[in-house]
Amino acid sequence: MSTHEHHDHGHDHSHGHAHDHTTFQPDIREPSEEWEFLEIALRELLIDKGVITAREVQDQIEAWEKKSPEGGARVVAKAWTDDGFRQRLLEDGNAAVAELGFEIEALKLVALENTDDLHHMVVCTLCSCYPRPLLGVPPLWYKSREYRSRAVREPRAILAEFGTELPETTEVRVVDSTADCRYLVIPRRPDGTEGMSEAELAALVSRDSMIGTATAFAPDGEGRSG
Amino acid sequence: MTERAISDLGGLPGGPIDTAEHEPTLSERRVDAMMMLLRAKPRSFWATDENRRTIEGLEPKTYAESAYYERWVLAMRGLLIEKGVLSETEIEAKLSEVRARHAEAGQ
């Protein structure tokens, strides 16, 4: 997005309308498309009618921004260092992450462990189901037509597009999420990480490694653990 | 064999994946926030599955051509009407007002 894109339609920022112009970054684009007008219309109606408040919308947006893959990374690092936790996580994802304070309502959380022999990659072919409480909001590519359609047919080609190469002997297993069941990949713990603290290990766990399009970072800073 | 649903993309051919990160726009953040507020307790106007059903019930052309959050806001509109929270008439009236306001501001 061009930093000057919002000037293209000559929007006058000095006008005095009542709608909320709070922006999160100075160059964020102003609404200009029909669906964005629909967003404004629905929001203003819901606020006028007292169904929701502007404050709640703002708080919800801030809550979203706080949710990040760091939650999932904490879970993975704990699984790497605490074998009892790892077992519980694999048996009952919801109960195990609740131990760390992550409440996952109305969804079954399934943790999948990657090993030398087996690599999991998660997709939602039908929409965009994703373990938001642990990973935040899904990246755009996860919701894209291309990822959704190709993941179940040519996962290795997709992995290559993400710069992830796995040995031929590693089985790649693609799992398809549903509205009621979400997956968290536990990436293979990188070599050379013995003795690292949970916090240090968590820093090696990228979002993509928990979706399965990548492996965890190597401790020497390389993009993948090999 | 039955025809594929518009959302049933698994296994279809597709081009390369654009792996670029995307900073959500203000409109996208607001649609997401509203969807979560309306779906969650205490309002619980609808369940995730109903949201899915509504998105999957969009016209195939609309589904194919719409951006992700565009589909969400269209589904939200449909569900708000279906659940009796807002009426079609008031949404249309408000939309006209918003469009007019935008046109005026753009002059």
Side-chain angles (χ1 to χ4, degrees):
Chain A
M1 188 193 302
S2 151
T3 52
H4 295 289
E5 187 177 323
H6 63 293
H7 295 308
D8 290 350
H9 54 86
H11 201 126
D12 176 7
H13 285 251
S14 66
H15 65 89
H17 294 302
H19 61 283
D20 180 10
H21 266 211
T22 312
T23 53
F24 296 85
Q25 45 187 49
D27 57 351
I28 204 153
R29 189 171 66 76
E30 289 282 330
S32 61
E33 294 182 37
E34 184 60 24
W35 73 268
E36 296 179 306
F37 297 150
L38 179 58
E39 181 280 317
I40 296 171
L42 295 180
R43 178 165 41 84
E44 292 186 359
L45 280 172
L46 290 169
I47 291 170
D48 288 348
K49 301 189 97 170
V51 178
I52 57 175
T53 66
R55 184 70 251 164
E56 282 179 306
V57 175
Q58 194 62 30
D59 287 348
Q60 185 70 34
I61 290 173
E62 282 168 24
W64 162 7
E65 287 171 353
K66 282 199 199 91
K67 270 184 197 152
S68 74
E70 284 166 27
R74 268 183 60 207
V75 173
V76 170
K78 175 91 174 159
W80 280 348
T81 52
D82 178 341
D83 202 51
F85 178 78
R86 189 182 66 88
Q87 293 291 350
R88 296 196 293 284
L89 181 63
L90 292 170
E91 278 161 25
D92 182 345
N94 297 68
V97 301
E99 293 176 29
L100 301 184
F102 298 102
E103 200 181 325
I104 301 188
E105 269 181 61
L107 299 171
K108 183 174 167 60
L109 177 73
V110 176
L112 303 165
E113 189 176 34
N114 283 353
T115 64
D116 285 337
D117 301 323
L118 178 62
H119 180 94
H120 296 89
M121 187 173 114
V122 183
V123 64
C124 176
T125 61
L126 292 173
C127 49
S128 56
C129 296
Y130 192 75
R132 280 181 173 229
L134 297 173
L135 299 188
V137 173
L140 201 60
W141 58 258
Y142 185 81
K143 307 184 284 194
S144 72
R145 185 173 192 91
E146 290 76 20
Y147 185 73
R148 287 167 52 194
S149 56
R150 293 174 52 211
V152 291
R153 190 176 289 272
E154 42 177 3
R156 277 183 195 271
I158 289 183
L159 288 169
E161 284 170 44
F162 279 87
T164 305
E165 279 171 46
L166 299 170
E168 275 303 312
T169 49
T170 303
E171 179 189 339
V172 176
R173 192 174 291 172
V174 179
V175 291
D176 197 353
S177 315
T178 71
D180 309 308
C181 178
R182 311 293 163 97
Y183 297 98
L184 177 75
V185 174
I186 308 171
R188 196 180 70 82
R189 180 171 172 167
D191 299 329
T193 56
E194 300 76 15
M196 284 176 75
S197 71
E198 246 180 80
E200 287 168 331
L201 288 168
L204 304 178
V205 185
S206 66
R207 177 195 68 200
D208 290 2
S209 75
M210 292 181 280
I211 303 174
T213 50
T215 53
F217 296 124
D220 59 10
E222 286 294 311
R224 48 181 295 272
S225 61
Chain B
M1 200 173 131
T2 52
E3 212 175 301
R4 262 180 191 260
I6 47 171
S7 56
D8 188 7
L9 299 180
L12 293 175
I17 293 161
D18 179 358
T19 58
E21 295 299 319
H22 161 77
E23 186 63 29
T25 66
L26 185 55
S27 297
E28 290 172 337
R29 287 166 207 248
R30 283 173 169 161
V31 170
D32 197 283
M34 271 197 285
M35 184 64 92
M36 297 304 147
L37 285 174
L38 296 169
R39 204 160 71 188
K41 290 173 193 165
R43 294 175 187 88
S44 310
F45 289 133
W46 56 77
T48 307
D49 308 275
E50 293 181 280
N51 184 34
R52 285 264 315 273
R53 184 250 299 156
T54 313
I55 289 175
E56 290 164 12
L58 293 172
E59 289 293 323
K61 190 171 148 55
T62 308
Y63 184 93
E65 292 173 2
S66 303
Y68 182 75
Y69 280 107
E70 184 172 1
R71 296 198 287 259
W72 271 40
V73 79
L74 291 170
M76 198 187 303
R77 175 201 168 113
L79 285 163
L80 285 168
I81 295 170
E82 183 184 316
K83 304 294 176 185
V85 182
L86 299 177
S87 75
E88 176 95 47
T89 320
E90 62 188 343
I91 293 173
E92 278 310 315
K94 191 70 171 180
L95 251 179
S96 303
E97 183 197 315
V98 172
R99 284 191 207 107
R101 204 163 67 191
H102 180 81
E104 185 199 328
Q107 277 167 10

